[in-house]
Each structure stands twice: as C-alpha cells, then as structure tokens.
Amino acid sequence: EAVTSAAAATAAATAAAATAASTSPALGTFGGDNGSYWASLGLVIMTAPGLWSLVKRAPKASVKGITFEVPGPAEGQSLDAVASTIATYFTKYNYKIVDTGEVITFQGTYEANRGQGIALTFYVFLGLASISLVLSTIYSEVGNWWYALLLLTPGSYSYYMRNGTRTEEAKVKMVTSDDEKTTDIILRCDKEEIERFAKETGFIEKGKVKVKGILEDTPLMQSSGNSGSEAKGFGLKK
C-alpha cells in the first residue's frame, strides 16, 4: 500500500508539472496580467513626454507677480527711501534700469546654475531608469539593453547649461494709498528672484505677517535706506 501511495503521489506531481509547463508563457512573452501590462505601458507613454517637458522648461524663467506692502510716507517711510532700496538690490545683482515711468523695468543676465543642472540630471536619471525597468519587463526579448537609455542622462545637463543663461526682466511699480499710510510694491519677475528679493529687503507680502527669526540677517531696507538714488521718486498714489 505504501508503494502504491508513493507511486500515485509521483504520478500526480508529474501531471501537475506537465500542466504547469503547458500553461507557462513562451520565452520572451509577457506572462503577467493584461491589466498590469497596459497600465505599465501607459505609464511609460505618459512619463517620456513629461521628462522631455521637464528638460525643456528647466532653463526658462518661472515668471510671477507679487505685491509687497511697506509703511508709507505718513508712517515715516519716504518713497525715495523705498525706491533707493529697490534700486540698490537690483544693482547689486547687475541689473540695469532700461525703462522708467509708472513702471520701472530692470534688466539683467541670469547665469545658468550648476546646482540646478545637477538636480535636473538626477531627476532625468530616475525617470529614464523607471522607463527602462518597465520596458525591460514588457519587452523582455530586448532585456537589459533598455538601460542604455540612461546614456541620455548627461544630455539634460548639457542642454540646461547651454540654454540656462538668459536675459531677465523685473518690473516694479509703487502705489501709495490715499492716506499715505502704506505703499504697495508690485513686482513681476522670476519666482526665484522674488524669493531672494523678499529675503534681502525684508519686504512682506501684502496680507501676510512676518515673524523674524533669531538668526535672521538685517534686511537691506534697514541697512541701505539712505544710500543711492538711482530710482528716486518713482511711484503713484492709489
């Protein structure tokens, strides 16, 4: 009986192995769920144009507008002092005044940032690695050759460094309230420039309250309020 049972078990195992072999996918074909297959393929189709768009947009400025609010003449802050602070800031970063009037236009050259280029290259590397992984799974007949796509990674750094240096414009308009208690500074330029401008001048975005940190540097508004007069006197009343 024991021999008979062992023989039956062996026969059953052999039959199961034969069934599994007959149902296994052919070499070089996708053996997973069709839903996963199309989902993975869809991700590749969407990711590839996204990476190209990321590389194309990296050297371009992200322009936005923002309004800062500072004390007006009635509060002891003259328009000349504010205008001098703004001019001092942009002159510090080699901007020049190219247009005057109701809106003052500063123009300067933005150099390509090596750190940003390296970050872009890292993001592209991760994106191409993900695409290669998916493609090597879907089209296994090509195998690991899909990872040759990673050789395109340095091209993103080269593209950014060639096109990252550009001419930037910053437009500034000052508007004083009727009671002269506040002055709005309307600034439109690159997003990064706005952040640096706010940090160095100490100007606060309209409608917000700033809490100064213990180790925060002295704002440019306090240190250079009486210097220079390159943009003296520009501004309007609301």
Side-chain angles (χ1 to χ4, degrees), residues 192-229:
E192 293 182 5
E193 194 67 70
I194 288 176
E195 293 174 354
R196 184 170 64 180
F197 176 85
K199 181 179 179 181
E200 295 197 15
T201 61
F203 293 157
I204 303 172
E205 184 178 354
K206 189 172 183 177
K208 294 186 178 181
V209 177
K210 182 178 180 181
V211 178
K212 185 176 180 180
I214 298 176
L215 301 178
E216 188 173 350
D217 293 336
T218 302
L220 184 63
M221 186 68 198
Q222 296 179 10
S223 60
S224 62
N226 296 322
S227 64
S229 58

Short mmCIF file of all heavy atoms in Angstrom, two decimals, residues 192-229:
data_model
loop_
_atom_site.label_atom_id
_atom_site.label_comp_id
_atom_site.label_asym_id
_atom_site.label_seq_id
_atom_site.Cartn_x
_atom_site.Cartn_y
_atom_site.Cartn_z
N GLU A 192 12.27 82.77 -8.40
CA GLU A 192 13.45 82.70 -7.53
C GLU A 192 13.94 84.09 -7.16
O GLU A 192 14.39 84.32 -6.03
CB GLU A 192 14.56 81.89 -8.20
CG GLU A 192 14.23 80.41 -8.37
CD GLU A 192 15.38 79.64 -8.98
OE1 GLU A 192 16.46 80.24 -9.19
OE2 GLU A 192 15.20 78.44 -9.27
N GLU A 193 13.87 85.01 -8.12
CA GLU A 193 14.30 86.38 -7.85
C GLU A 193 13.38 87.04 -6.82
O GLU A 193 13.84 87.81 -5.96
CB GLU A 193 14.31 87.18 -9.15
CG GLU A 193 15.04 88.51 -9.04
CD GLU A 193 16.54 88.32 -8.83
OE1 GLU A 193 17.23 87.87 -9.76
OE2 GLU A 193 17.01 88.64 -7.71
N ILE A 194 12.10 86.76 -6.90
CA ILE A 194 11.15 87.31 -5.93
C ILE A 194 11.47 86.83 -4.53
O ILE A 194 11.46 87.60 -3.56
CB ILE A 194 9.70 86.92 -6.32
CG1 ILE A 194 9.26 87.71 -7.55
CG2 ILE A 194 8.74 87.18 -5.16
CD1 ILE A 194 7.89 87.33 -8.07
N GLU A 195 11.77 85.55 -4.39
CA GLU A 195 12.08 84.98 -3.07
C GLU A 195 13.34 85.63 -2.50
O GLU A 195 13.40 85.95 -1.31
CB GLU A 195 12.25 83.47 -3.19
CG GLU A 195 10.95 82.74 -3.55
CD GLU A 195 11.16 81.26 -3.81
OE1 GLU A 195 12.35 80.81 -3.83
OE2 GLU A 195 10.16 80.55 -4.00
N ARG A 196 14.36 85.80 -3.34
CA ARG A 196 15.61 86.43 -2.87
C ARG A 196 15.38 87.89 -2.54
O ARG A 196 15.92 88.40 -1.55
CB ARG A 196 16.69 86.28 -3.94
CG ARG A 196 18.05 86.81 -3.52
CD ARG A 196 19.13 86.42 -4.51
NE ARG A 196 18.91 87.03 -5.82
CZ ARG A 196 19.72 86.84 -6.87
NH1 ARG A 196 20.77 86.03 -6.74
NH2 ARG A 196 19.48 87.43 -8.02
N PHE A 197 14.58 88.57 -3.36
CA PHE A 197 14.27 89.98 -3.13
C PHE A 197 13.58 90.17 -1.78
O PHE A 197 13.94 91.07 -0.99
CB PHE A 197 13.35 90.49 -4.26
CG PHE A 197 12.88 91.90 -4.10
CD1 PHE A 197 13.65 92.96 -4.54
CD2 PHE A 197 11.64 92.18 -3.52
CE1 PHE A 197 13.22 94.27 -4.40
CE2 PHE A 197 11.19 93.49 -3.39
CZ PHE A 197 11.98 94.53 -3.82
N ALA A 198 12.61 89.33 -1.48
CA ALA A 198 11.88 89.43 -0.22
C ALA A 198 12.79 89.16 0.97
O ALA A 198 12.72 89.85 2.00
CB ALA A 198 10.71 88.45 -0.21
N LYS A 199 13.68 88.21 0.83
CA LYS A 199 14.59 87.85 1.92
C LYS A 199 15.58 88.98 2.21
O LYS A 199 15.84 89.31 3.38
CB LYS A 199 15.35 86.57 1.57
CG LYS A 199 16.31 86.11 2.65
CD LYS A 199 17.01 84.83 2.24
CE LYS A 199 17.99 84.37 3.32
NZ LYS A 199 18.71 83.13 2.92
N GLU A 200 16.13 89.58 1.16
CA GLU A 200 17.18 90.57 1.37
C GLU A 200 16.64 91.95 1.72
O GLU A 200 17.31 92.71 2.42
CB GLU A 200 18.07 90.63 0.13
CG GLU A 200 18.84 89.35 -0.12
CD GLU A 200 20.01 89.54 -1.06
OE1 GLU A 200 20.40 90.71 -1.31
OE2 GLU A 200 20.52 88.52 -1.57
N THR A 201 15.49 92.31 1.21
CA THR A 201 14.93 93.63 1.51
C THR A 201 14.11 93.64 2.79
O THR A 201 13.92 94.69 3.41
CB THR A 201 14.05 94.13 0.36
OG1 THR A 201 12.95 93.23 0.18
CG2 THR A 201 14.84 94.24 -0.93
N GLY A 202 13.61 92.47 3.18
CA GLY A 202 12.76 92.41 4.36
C GLY A 202 11.32 92.82 4.08
O GLY A 202 10.50 92.91 5.00
N PHE A 203 10.97 93.04 2.81
CA PHE A 203 9.60 93.41 2.47
C PHE A 203 8.67 92.22 2.70
O PHE A 203 9.05 91.06 2.47
CB PHE A 203 9.50 93.85 1.01
CG PHE A 203 10.22 95.14 0.70
CD1 PHE A 203 10.62 95.44 -0.59
CD2 PHE A 203 10.49 96.06 1.71
CE1 PHE A 203 11.27 96.63 -0.88
CE2 PHE A 203 11.14 97.26 1.42
CZ PHE A 203 11.54 97.53 0.13
N ILE A 204 7.46 92.51 3.13
CA ILE A 204 6.49 91.46 3.45
C ILE A 204 5.36 91.49 2.43
O ILE A 204 4.86 92.55 2.06
CB ILE A 204 5.91 91.67 4.87
CG1 ILE A 204 7.05 91.70 5.90
CG2 ILE A 204 4.92 90.57 5.22
CD1 ILE A 204 6.59 92.09 7.29
N GLU A 205 4.97 90.31 1.98
CA GLU A 205 3.88 90.22 1.02
C GLU A 205 2.60 90.77 1.62
O GLU A 205 2.30 90.56 2.80
CB GLU A 205 3.68 88.77 0.60
CG GLU A 205 2.62 88.59 -0.47
CD GLU A 205 2.47 87.14 -0.90
OE1 GLU A 205 3.26 86.28 -0.45
OE2 GLU A 205 1.55 86.86 -1.69
N LYS A 206 1.86 91.49 0.83
CA LYS A 206 0.63 92.13 1.30
C LYS A 206 -0.34 91.09 1.85
O LYS A 206 -0.59 90.07 1.23
CB LYS A 206 -0.02 92.90 0.15
CG LYS A 206 -1.18 93.78 0.58
CD LYS A 206 -1.66 94.65 -0.56
CE LYS A 206 -2.78 95.59 -0.11
NZ LYS A 206 -3.22 96.50 -1.19
N GLY A 207 -0.86 91.38 3.03
CA GLY A 207 -1.81 90.47 3.66
C GLY A 207 -1.19 89.42 4.55
O GLY A 207 -1.89 88.61 5.14
N LYS A 208 0.15 89.42 4.64
CA LYS A 208 0.83 88.43 5.48
C LYS A 208 1.61 89.13 6.58
O LYS A 208 1.94 90.30 6.49
CB LYS A 208 1.76 87.57 4.63
CG LYS A 208 1.03 86.69 3.64
CD LYS A 208 1.99 85.74 2.94
CE LYS A 208 1.24 84.82 1.98
NZ LYS A 208 2.16 83.88 1.30
N VAL A 209 1.92 88.37 7.62
CA VAL A 209 2.70 88.88 8.75
C VAL A 209 3.96 88.05 8.87
O VAL A 209 3.90 86.81 8.86
CB VAL A 209 1.91 88.81 10.07
CG1 VAL A 209 2.77 89.30 11.23
CG2 VAL A 209 0.63 89.65 9.97
N LYS A 210 5.09 88.71 8.95
CA LYS A 210 6.37 88.00 9.05
C LYS A 210 6.87 87.96 10.48
O LYS A 210 6.91 88.99 11.16
CB LYS A 210 7.41 88.68 8.15
CG LYS A 210 8.77 87.98 8.16
CD LYS A 210 9.73 88.68 7.21
CE LYS A 210 11.08 87.99 7.20
NZ LYS A 210 12.03 88.66 6.30
N VAL A 211 7.27 86.78 10.93
CA VAL A 211 7.86 86.62 12.26
C VAL A 211 9.36 86.44 12.07
O VAL A 211 9.82 85.47 11.47
CB VAL A 211 7.27 85.39 13.00
CG1 VAL A 211 7.94 85.24 14.35
CG2 VAL A 211 5.76 85.53 13.13
N LYS A 212 10.12 87.39 12.55
CA LYS A 212 11.57 87.37 12.34
C LYS A 212 12.24 86.33 13.21
O LYS A 212 11.98 86.23 14.40
CB LYS A 212 12.16 88.76 12.63
CG LYS A 212 13.64 88.87 12.31
CD LYS A 212 14.14 90.28 12.53
CE LYS A 212 15.62 90.39 12.21
NZ LYS A 212 16.15 91.75 12.40
N GLY A 213 13.14 85.53 12.58
CA GLY A 213 13.88 84.53 13.32
C GLY A 213 15.03 85.14 14.09
O GLY A 213 15.49 86.25 13.80
N ILE A 214 15.54 84.41 15.07
CA ILE A 214 16.62 84.90 15.93
C ILE A 214 17.89 85.16 15.13
O ILE A 214 18.60 86.14 15.35
CB ILE A 214 16.89 83.89 17.06
CG1 ILE A 214 15.65 83.74 17.94
CG2 ILE A 214 18.09 84.33 17.89
CD1 ILE A 214 15.81 82.69 19.03
N LEU A 215 18.18 84.27 14.18
CA LEU A 215 19.43 84.37 13.41
C LEU A 215 19.25 85.04 12.07
O LEU A 215 20.15 84.99 11.23
CB LEU A 215 20.01 82.96 13.21
CG LEU A 215 20.31 82.18 14.48
CD1 LEU A 215 20.84 80.79 14.14
CD2 LEU A 215 21.33 82.92 15.36
N GLU A 216 18.12 85.67 11.84
CA GLU A 216 17.85 86.29 10.55
C GLU A 216 18.72 87.51 10.32
O GLU A 216 18.97 88.30 11.23
CB GLU A 216 16.36 86.68 10.47
CG GLU A 216 15.94 87.16 9.10
CD GLU A 216 14.43 87.37 9.02
OE1 GLU A 216 13.74 86.97 9.97
OE2 GLU A 216 13.98 87.95 8.03
N ASP A 217 19.20 87.65 9.08
CA ASP A 217 20.06 88.78 8.73
C ASP A 217 19.27 90.08 8.73
O ASP A 217 18.06 90.10 8.57
CB ASP A 217 20.67 88.57 7.34
CG ASP A 217 21.64 87.41 7.32
OD1 ASP A 217 22.16 87.08 8.40
OD2 ASP A 217 21.84 86.83 6.24
N THR A 218 20.00 91.19 8.87
CA THR A 218 19.36 92.51 8.82
C THR A 218 18.91 92.79 7.40
O THR A 218 19.69 92.69 6.46
CB THR A 218 20.36 93.60 9.25
OG1 THR A 218 20.82 93.30 10.57
CG2 THR A 218 19.70 94.97 9.23
N PRO A 219 17.65 93.14 7.18
CA PRO A 219 17.16 93.38 5.83
C PRO A 219 17.86 94.56 5.17
O PRO A 219 18.35 95.47 5.82
CB PRO A 219 15.67 93.69 6.05
CG PRO A 219 15.34 93.12 7.39
CD PRO A 219 16.60 93.26 8.19
N LEU A 220 17.90 94.53 3.85
CA LEU A 220 18.51 95.59 3.08
C LEU A 220 17.80 96.93 3.31
O LEU A 220 18.41 97.98 3.28
CB LEU A 220 18.44 95.22 1.58
CG LEU A 220 19.12 96.15 0.58
CD1 LEU A 220 20.62 96.20 0.85
CD2 LEU A 220 18.85 95.69 -0.84
N MET A 221 16.51 96.87 3.60
CA MET A 221 15.74 98.09 3.83
C MET A 221 16.31 98.90 4.98
O MET A 221 16.33 100.11 4.97
CB MET A 221 14.28 97.71 4.12
CG MET A 221 13.33 98.89 4.24
SD MET A 221 13.10 99.74 2.67
CE MET A 221 12.43 101.30 3.23
N GLN A 222 16.81 98.21 6.01
CA GLN A 222 17.34 98.91 7.17
C GLN A 222 18.78 99.37 6.96
O GLN A 222 19.19 100.39 7.47
CB GLN A 222 17.29 97.98 8.40
CG GLN A 222 15.87 97.59 8.80
CD GLN A 222 15.87 96.65 9.99
OE1 GLN A 222 16.90 96.43 10.61
NE2 GLN A 222 14.71 96.10 10.30
N SER A 223 19.52 98.60 6.16
CA SER A 223 20.94 98.89 6.03
C SER A 223 21.28 99.87 4.91
O SER A 223 22.35 100.44 4.89
CB SER A 223 21.73 97.59 5.79
OG SER A 223 21.27 96.96 4.60
N SER A 224 20.35 100.03 3.94
CA SER A 224 20.69 100.89 2.81
C SER A 224 19.59 101.88 2.47
O SER A 224 19.49 102.35 1.35
CB SER A 224 20.99 100.02 1.58
OG SER A 224 19.84 99.27 1.22
N GLY A 225 18.75 102.17 3.44
CA GLY A 225 17.63 103.07 3.16
C GLY A 225 18.06 104.46 2.76
O GLY A 225 17.33 105.17 2.10
N ASN A 226 19.29 104.88 3.13
CA ASN A 226 19.74 106.23 2.83
C ASN A 226 20.80 106.27 1.74
O ASN A 226 21.47 107.27 1.55
CB ASN A 226 20.31 106.88 4.10
CG ASN A 226 19.24 107.04 5.17
OD1 ASN A 226 18.11 107.36 4.86
ND2 ASN A 226 19.63 106.81 6.42
N SER A 227 20.98 105.13 1.04
CA SER A 227 22.04 105.08 0.03
C SER A 227 21.47 105.21 -1.36
O SER A 227 20.38 104.74 -1.65
CB SER A 227 22.79 103.74 0.15
OG SER A 227 21.92 102.66 -0.14
N GLY A 228 22.25 105.85 -2.24
CA GLY A 228 21.92 105.88 -3.66
C GLY A 228 20.59 106.55 -3.95
O GLY A 228 19.77 106.76 -3.10
N SER A 229 20.38 106.89 -5.21
CA SER A 229 19.10 107.45 -5.62
C SER A 229 18.83 107.15 -7.09
O SER A 229 18.30 107.96 -7.81
CB SER A 229 19.07 108.96 -5.39
OG SER A 229 20.13 109.58 -6.10
#
